[in-house]
Amino acid sequence: MSDRKQFRDLAAPEAAHDAIDSLDLAPDPETVPLSDARGRILAERVDADLDVPGFDRASVDGYAVRGRDTFGADEADPVAFDLVGTVHAGAEPDVVVGEGEAAEISTGAVMPDGADAVVMVERTEEVEADGAVRGVEARTAVAPGDNVMLAGTDIAAGARALGPGTRLTPREIGLLSALGVDEVPVRGRPTVGIVSTGDELVRPGGDLRSEAGQIYDVNSYTVAAGVEEAGGEAKLYPHAGDDYEQMEQLLFEAASECDLVLSSGSTSASAVDVIYRVIEERGDLLLHGVAVKPGKPMLVGELGGGAYVGLPGYPVSALTIFRTFVAPAIREASGLPEPETATVRGRMAVRERYAEGRLRLMPAGLVTDADGDTLVYPVDKGSGATTSLVDADGVVAVDPDTEYLGAGDEVAVQLFSPDVRPPTLLAVGEDDPALSRLLDRLDSPRFRPVGSREGLRRLRGGVPDVAVVAGPTNREVDAVDLGGWTREWGLVVPAGTPDDTESLGDLVDRDLGFVNRNTDAGLRSSLDAAVDDLADTRGVARSDLTDAIRGFAVGTKGVESPARAVARGDADAGLGLRATAESLGLGFVSLGTESVRVRANPDRVKKPGVEQLSARLDALDPVTDGLAGYDPE
Amino acid sequence: MSDRKQFRDLAAPEAAHDAIDSLDLAPDPETVPLSDARGRILAERVDADLDVPGFDRASVDGYAVRGRDTFGADEADPVAFDLVGTVHAGAEPDVVVGEGEAAEISTGAVMPDGADAVVMVERTEEVEADGAVRGVEARTAVAPGDNVMLAGTDIAAGARALGPGTRLTPREIGLLSALGVDEVPVRGRPTVGIVSTGDELVRPGGDLRSEAGQIYDVNSYTVAAGVEEAGGEAKLYPHAGDDYEQMEQLLFEAASECDLVLSSGSTSASAVDVIYRVIEERGDLLLHGVAVKPGKPMLVGELGGGAYVGLPGYPVSALTIFRTFVAPAIREASGLPEPETATVRGRMAVRERYAEGRLRLMPAGLVTDADGDTLVYPVDKGSGATTSLVDADGVVAVDPDTEYLGAGDEVAVQLFSPDVRPPTLLAVGEDDPALSRLLDRLDSPRFRPVGSREGLRRLRGGVPDVAVVAGPTNREVDAVDLGGWTREWGLVVPAGTPDDTESLGDLVDRDLGFVNRNTDAGLRSSLDAAVDDLADTRGVARSDLTDAIRGFAVGTKGVESPARAVARGDADAGLGLRATAESLGLGFVSLGTESVRVRANPDRVKKPGVEQLSARLDALDPVTDGLAGYDPE
């Protein structure tokens, strides 16, 4: 065993925060054009360099006069003025207003010399003589300064306008515009390099050789998006394999170009070992392993004057450690406050045991009840599944000495992103093409394709809103039937060879390779019932038949998995739907029709998301239209 | 009067929403690289095109075996296997595992043919013979499938992965990566053209001719930032003056390039008139004037197949109407939900009368009390001031039939931006250079330089946390003194002519042009007291002195305003501070020292922002250091 796998002295979580805080991630301030300044943080105070307005300004349309000339004017006894000119907004006055004189003036125009007040147009009357306007009568008195905004009244030159640390939203952009500022000093955004480790990783879009164990690189892109969300700029580096010198060169290059370098553990332990050795031998290893589940593999260090943090390898674990330890440091460096929506409170939907002796950052999903209150349930028990990324909404920090969280206990969920929202509907159960179309018509639903049997079990557990159940089922469950449809099922077979396989009996009697579904699938229940019928008909034991079907014991997960195996030429027949066979251009041997029902937790029937689903179920035609073998019920 | 100014038939606010909703702002979906997809909205469903994992995968480090070969193995009675090879992650297995055979395997590696389970390394022991590893003993039994993740277990090919309308946060980016997706179909961002109206408007950064009534263009930049925040792309157009044909050409050009064209009213009524005529004659005018304060000038129409909305001219009014009517339509078109933080609830800090008979969108500021509860107060009574942009945090919608909002009434504030936060400290009162430095050291304070007298009045009104009060004051106010400093005040005079003006008496006795502060300023109170003393000394009436000082009656707003007038050569002396004179390189005649005190609302002393201020006041040296004439007290 290498040293890497021994975590004798795990650091306390606070020590990990301290270690990261000790690294200097903050780049120098920079200057950006005003048009790019939204969302940035002001690096220094901005004082007004000019008066706003820059001149004494009429604040209404009317007539500029000397206020004292209007004294005594009222509706019954107006005061007459000679009209000496007009001042438009945006123009320099070419008139001086003397005693008994008035100049027509527009809102926003410069007050002409001599005038110190404006009579609003509504309180005046033009005086005509010889068919032309010669003067104006004021029907109200104004004091000097009335309807005039003096220069500097809005902002005086020299006044503090915005302070350092101000977040620039549209209104601050407006104030800066008013001051004529077109270049804004803002906090720099830390550049965060992301080093990919693991020879098996392929960039999305690249060709994947599954037979060689290749997988797409999930963590680099997840973490890069997290970096941008926290106010940093992400920079992806190519992976360096597990050669020491190559890795050393790459890490030094990244350290010289970035304020922080991140990598995540990979299934290739040797690459992580190499990074560890480079940091330890050529840099400064501050911390290795944190007493946090899932923080054991975490690494904090310095290299070439830059900061380095190593994250765990499982996607949810990498995002959890990033969100808990790294994102706050990036936000601090860029000056961005943590968004208020980054944490929500809710009550545990179920009891969750816990006794591990170290802080646990428990991935948790959110679901709302009929009252709109938030319920929290644990997801991803360390499976490393990518789908846990979208099943979990965030993490609950559970203290080392907590033995369990009781159902109904209030907890805080640190969301994976401030933009994460609880789904409007939490559905589980049987995967189905019509269901997929139905979900497309709902507002942000969440569906877990766990199969009919597991779906019902979870519905009984009280977490999901609804379970989608297909095929024969004897399970008793207290649920409200919201509606459903039927679907034709049978054997998906290669295209163009309709005579090869004609019935279930052919699977038994001929040496055909068959791909089954797993036992949670409603399709599997229907197949099992058909096998039972065939055994009755033939008067043989069920196991005689199933033993004779090559592949019967091996279940697959997806509704299309058996059909896709047939399409690839890996099997002669697969359990599936007529709709799947048609969409993949394959042949089909019908074995029957089964119902698919949507069953709701009775406590959630009045929840808006369930009501929306229910309404859609009442008008299914557009959903099932064009799906072969489907019938709305 | 033009038609434009007559609003006989104002539309209901709902009609304005309907009119804007009737316009089609949604652009076509587009495809973006995965690295640019964060924050975007998925335009269509993404199904898994491949199994994840794409192969049966070891989920622990250990030995791949046939599960049935381990039956009966335990610590006391291990089962021995021949070692036939090794499988690394990211490599194609070059070994087949037969009966009684094992292959060393890494987490994430492809299961070799023949093997169906993995014994984890911790439950095995290597067997050496002749100094080399020849085999391995399993100390536990595993069933077929144990420690193996079957292909497609995480996501099965053909399964629905993400639905249309999904907001892409880091975790969804992660899931898309896992599926190998490098180009993502997303909702388009509507392009919003912003047409600037008004010959008096100058772009920030440009030269301003104040004497010609020019001002910087505030609304175009404020609204452009609002467009980007709502998920649109803003495009600024140059202004077209008020020539009909030029405006027509510009509007058609913008309409052809954008999904929506916005303009805001300007002080140049004629330009707005021209737009109105173009829309009415060449397009389709849907609505003109809404029964909303401040929505009277609002215009909704279509031109050249594109949508057009005209906003009011005052900055706060433009942002209010944009936020209420236009931003929701842009968000709808881009698929972005309104952020949860876009609205906050609070209680009215003061009573506010209202009886206007139409919906009022009242600009409101936020302040928190010592318990952290949010209080709401009205700001900007239609003054058109740019500073109202940063004094108001949002708007409260007040129904037409509401006569008043009582102090303590709960109201909802629609924030100008979801990123707007209440200030940590709300201060009012005397502007002062040391205060500006002090504010720089606090977390997001808000200060309104209303002068000492008005500051005290507002403190008594119960809204602000603290008032900064300078000079002599007789006002009784129930407040807690948090600390303060003294500053040297006097006459700021031109540089290099120290002998011209030596005392206050010179202002009276010689024909000097003087610039005073307004009567709210503490500096003015100190000057008034000095004038009283001089009148006593000379045995004359106070008014004899003040009448003799040219400019005494005219007050200016900013602490630097008189000094800047002197610097410009517009005056011989100005009321001000030694610190200001030194910072502007001017001369100074000292007339005395006055105290500046920070006085707190007693109910707010325990508020964190006030406590932070109080702590800073206890250590003022770094704040006053280098400010001439300042002394911490």
Side-chain angles (χ1 to χ4, degrees), chain A residues 52 149 153-156 160-161 171 174-175 178-179, chain B residues 315-316 379-380 383-392 446-449 557:
Chain A
V52 178
M149 192 185 216
T153 308
D154 194 351
I155 315 169
R160 182 182 189 271
R171 61 196 190 138
L175 184 61
L179 299 175
Chain B
V316 168
V379 294
D380 182 57
S383 70
T386 314
T387 41
S388 298
L389 279 173
V390 289
D391 289 339
R446 174 175 296 161
F447 174 68
R448 291 302 297 132
K557 195 192 168 211

Side-chain angles (χ1 to χ4, degrees), chain B residues 348-350 365-368 375-379 426-428 457-466 601 604 607:
Chain B
M348 289 294 292
V350 293
L366 302 178
V367 59
T368 49
L375 301 175
V376 180
Y377 59 96
V379 294
L426 181 58
V428 295
R457 197 189 67 74
R458 293 196 185 185
L459 189 67
R460 275 200 311 279
V463 172
D465 298 318
V466 300
N601 177 335
R604 306 273 176 82
K607 173 174 163 170

Side-chain angles (χ1 to χ4, degrees), chain B residues 124-268:
Chain B
T124 64
E125 183 89 28
E126 289 175 347
V127 179
E128 294 189 12
D130 307 329
V133 177
R134 303 292 180 190
V136 67
E137 284 183 348
R139 296 163 175 256
T140 188
V142 288
D146 278 3
N147 298 323
V148 177
M149 192 184 218
L150 292 175
T153 308
D154 195 351
I155 315 170
R160 182 182 189 270
L162 293 171
T166 302
R167 185 162 190 174
L168 301 175
T169 72
R171 62 196 190 136
E172 284 85 13
I173 300 290
L175 184 60
L176 291 168
S177 307
L179 298 175
V181 173
D182 63 340
E183 291 198 317
V184 190
V186 295
R187 299 275 294 266
R189 298 174 56 186
T191 304
V192 180
I194 297 167
V195 172
S196 172
T197 59
D199 285 334
E200 77 281 18
L201 296 182
V202 175
R203 299 238 151 150
D207 286 332
L208 198 68
R209 288 186 58 238
S210 284
E211 68 281 9
Q214 291 186 333
I215 57 175
Y216 285 114
D217 182 0
V218 173
N219 288 349
S220 293
Y221 290 82
T222 309
V223 170
V227 164
E228 302 271 347
E229 191 173 75
E233 293 198 49
K235 181 166 183 175
L236 265 62
Y237 287 85
H239 78 88
D242 49 11
D243 176 78
Y244 186 95
E245 289 191 5
Q246 274 193 332
M247 184 66 87
E248 183 186 15
Q249 193 185 336
L250 179 73
L251 287 175
F252 272 97
E253 180 192 337
S256 72
E257 293 172 345
C258 303
D259 299 294
L260 169 66
V261 176
L262 297 176
S263 71
S264 63
S266 82
T267 46
S268 167

Side-chain angles (χ1 to χ4, degrees), chain A residues 421-625:
Chain A
R421 302 286 170 87
T424 52
L425 176 79
L426 181 58
V428 297
E430 185 84 5
D431 198 1
D432 178 271
L435 176 67
S436 292
R437 293 177 169 200
L438 184 59
L439 293 168
D440 288 349
R441 290 166 164 80
L442 305 178
D443 302 328
S444 57
R446 174 174 295 161
F447 174 67
R448 291 301 298 133
V450 297
S452 295
R453 193 192 291 202
E454 174 68 8
L456 277 179
R457 196 189 67 76
R458 294 196 186 184
L459 190 67
R460 275 201 312 277
V463 171
D465 298 317
V466 301
V468 181
V469 184
T473 171
N474 302 315
R475 298 273 172 139
E476 282 288 320
V477 60
D478 179 24
V480 177
D481 190 294
L482 297 181
W485 55 88
T486 61
R487 60 185 188 180
E488 193 178 359
W489 68 276
L491 303 177
V492 181
V493 296
T497 55
D499 297 331
D500 277 351
T501 310
E502 290 183 336
S503 69
L504 182 56
D506 285 346
L507 287 186
V508 177
D509 303 331
R510 296 164 52 191
D511 183 32
L512 297 173
F514 176 65
V515 179
N516 209 342
R517 291 290 311 282
N518 58 25
T519 54
D520 276 318
L523 274 175
R524 174 66 174 264
S525 303
S526 290
L527 178 64
D528 284 343
V531 169
D532 287 343
D533 287 348
L534 184 61
D536 282 351
T537 306
R538 294 195 178 184
V540 298
R542 171 189 162 81
S543 60
D544 291 343
L545 299 182
T546 57
D547 288 351
I549 301 176
R550 178 153 55 86
F552 190 91
V554 182
T556 56
K557 194 193 169 212
V559 67
E560 293 191 358
S561 301
R564 284 177 177 250
V566 172
R568 281 195 306 268
D570 290 349
D572 302 302
L575 176 58
L577 302 172
R578 177 182 288 279
T580 303
E582 291 209 356
S583 78
L584 295 179
L586 296 168
F588 182 70
V589 177
S590 180
L591 294 180
T593 292
E594 67 175 14
S595 72
V596 181
R597 306 302 303 176
V598 180
R599 306 178 73 176
N601 178 335
D603 295 338
R604 306 274 175 81
V605 172
K606 293 288 171 202
K607 173 174 164 171
V610 177
E611 288 188 329
Q612 190 193 23
L613 170 65
S614 192
R616 289 286 184 190
L617 281 166
D618 290 342
L620 267 182
D621 285 335
V623 172
T624 55
D625 249 20

Side-chain angles (χ1 to χ4, degrees), chain A residues 5 34 38 45 48-50 52 54-55 57 59 61 89-93 107-108 110 149 152-160 162-164 167 169-175 177-182 200 204-205 208-218 221-222 225-226 228-229 267 314 319 337-341 383 385-387 389-390 392-393 416-417 419-421 431 436-437 439-440 445-446 557-558 560-561 564, chain B residues 5 34 38 45 48-50 52 54-55 57 59 61 89-93 107-108 110 149 152-160 162-164 167 169-175 177-182 200 204-205 208-218 221-222 225-226 228-229 267 314 319 337-341 383 385-387 389-390 392-393 416-417 419-421 431 436-437 439-440 445-446 557-558 560-561 564:
Chain A
K5 293 197 178 144
L34 182 68
R38 186 183 68 83
R45 190 210 302 171
D49 210 29
L50 43 76
V52 178
F55 50 90
R57 175 181 187 273
S59 51
D61 290 342
E92 191 163 355
T107 306
V110 181
M149 192 185 216
T153 308
D154 194 351
I155 315 169
R160 182 182 189 271
L162 292 172
R167 185 162 189 176
T169 72
R171 61 196 190 138
E172 285 85 13
I173 301 290
L175 184 61
S177 307
L179 299 175
V181 173
D182 63 340
E200 78 281 18
L208 198 70
R209 288 184 59 237
S210 285
E211 67 281 9
Q214 292 185 333
I215 58 175
Y216 285 114
D217 183 0
V218 173
Y221 290 82
T222 310
E228 302 271 347
E229 191 173 75
T267 46
Y314 281 163
L319 188 56
E338 163 139 297
E340 281 172 36
T341 52
S383 70
T386 315
T387 41
L389 280 173
V390 289
D393 295 298
F416 283 134
S417 159
D419 292 330
V420 162
R421 302 286 170 87
D431 198 1
S436 292
R437 293 177 169 200
L439 293 168
D440 288 349
R446 174 174 295 161
K557 194 193 169 212
E560 293 191 358
S561 301
R564 284 177 177 250
Chain B
K5 292 194 179 146
L34 182 68
R38 187 183 68 83
R45 190 211 301 172
D49 210 29
L50 43 77
V52 178
F55 50 91
R57 176 180 187 274
S59 51
D61 289 342
E92 191 164 354
T107 305
V110 182
M149 192 184 218
T153 308
D154 195 351
I155 315 170
R160 182 182 189 270
L162 293 171
R167 185 162 190 174
T169 72
R171 62 196 190 136
E172 284 85 13
I173 300 290
L175 184 60
S177 307
L179 298 175
V181 173
D182 63 340
E200 77 281 18
L208 198 68
R209 288 186 58 238
S210 284
E211 68 281 9
Q214 291 186 333
I215 57 175
Y216 285 114
D217 182 0
V218 173
Y221 290 82
T222 309
E228 302 271 347
E229 191 173 75
T267 46
Y314 282 163
L319 188 56
E338 163 138 297
E340 282 172 36
T341 52
S383 70
T386 314
T387 41
L389 279 173
V390 289
D393 295 299
F416 283 135
S417 159
D419 291 330
V420 161
R421 301 287 170 88
D431 198 1
S436 291
R437 293 179 170 199
L439 293 169
D440 288 350
R446 174 175 296 161
K557 195 192 168 211
E560 293 191 359
S561 301
R564 284 177 178 251

Side-chain angles (χ1 to χ4, degrees), chain A residues 24-330:
Chain A
D24 180 20
L25 309 185
D28 290 335
E30 56 183 323
T31 299
V32 297
L34 182 68
S35 52
D36 294 342
R38 186 183 68 83
R40 302 299 293 266
I41 305 294
L42 210 56
E44 54 192 66
R45 190 210 302 171
V46 173
D47 289 339
D49 210 29
L50 43 76
D51 282 332
V52 178
F55 50 90
D56 295 347
R57 175 181 187 273
S59 51
V60 295
D61 290 342
Y63 294 89
V65 296
R66 308 190 327 169
R68 61 175 173 271
D69 295 348
T70 66
F71 287 170
D74 61 20
E75 289 290 332
D77 194 11
V79 173
F81 290 86
D82 292 333
L83 208 48
V84 294
T86 300
V87 192
H88 293 292
E92 191 163 355
D94 55 1
V95 63
V96 174
V97 174
E99 187 176 346
E101 294 177 339
E104 190 180 0
I105 194 164
S106 316
T107 306
V110 181
M111 288 293 287
D113 282 347
D116 59 15
V118 177
V119 186
M120 59 181 3
V121 68
E122 291 84 351
R123 307 301 297 274
T124 63
E125 183 91 27
E126 288 176 349
V127 178
E128 294 189 12
D130 306 329
V133 177
R134 304 292 181 190
V136 67
E137 284 184 350
R139 297 163 173 255
T140 188
V142 288
D146 278 2
N147 298 323
V148 176
M149 192 185 216
L150 292 175
T153 308
D154 194 351
I155 315 169
R160 182 182 189 271
L162 292 172
T166 301
R167 185 162 189 176
L168 301 175
T169 72
R171 61 196 190 138
E172 285 85 13
I173 301 290
L175 184 61
L176 291 168
S177 307
L179 299 175
V181 173
D182 63 340
E183 291 198 318
V184 190
V186 296
R187 299 275 295 265
R189 298 175 56 186
T191 304
V192 180
I194 297 167
V195 172
S196 171
T197 59
D199 286 332
E200 78 281 18
L201 296 182
V202 175
R203 298 239 152 149
D207 286 332
L208 198 70
R209 288 184 59 237
S210 285
E211 67 281 9
Q214 292 185 333
I215 58 175
Y216 285 114
D217 183 0
V218 173
N219 288 347
S220 293
Y221 290 82
T222 310
V223 170
V227 164
E228 302 271 347
E229 191 173 75
E233 294 199 48
K235 182 167 182 173
L236 264 61
Y237 286 86
H239 78 88
D242 48 11
D243 176 78
Y244 186 95
E245 290 192 3
Q246 273 192 332
M247 183 67 86
E248 182 187 17
Q249 193 184 336
L250 179 73
L251 288 175
F252 272 97
E253 179 192 338
S256 72
E257 293 172 346
C258 302
D259 299 295
L260 169 66
V261 176
L262 297 176
S263 71
S264 64
S266 82
T267 46
S268 168
S270 55
V272 177
D273 278 343
V274 170
I275 290 186
Y276 170 79
R277 280 171 47 214
V278 172
I279 303 289
E280 193 177 40
E281 291 165 15
R282 299 296 317 279
D284 189 6
L285 183 66
L286 299 176
L287 187 142
H288 185 200
V290 181
V292 170
K293 186 178 179 183
K296 261 192 186 176
M298 192 176 163
L299 205 68
V300 182
E302 280 183 297
L303 188 78
Y308 169 81
V309 176
L311 304 170
Y314 281 163
V316 169
S317 300
L319 188 56
T320 296
I321 294 299
F322 174 81
R323 190 240 181 274
T324 307
F325 293 95
V326 183
I330 296 174

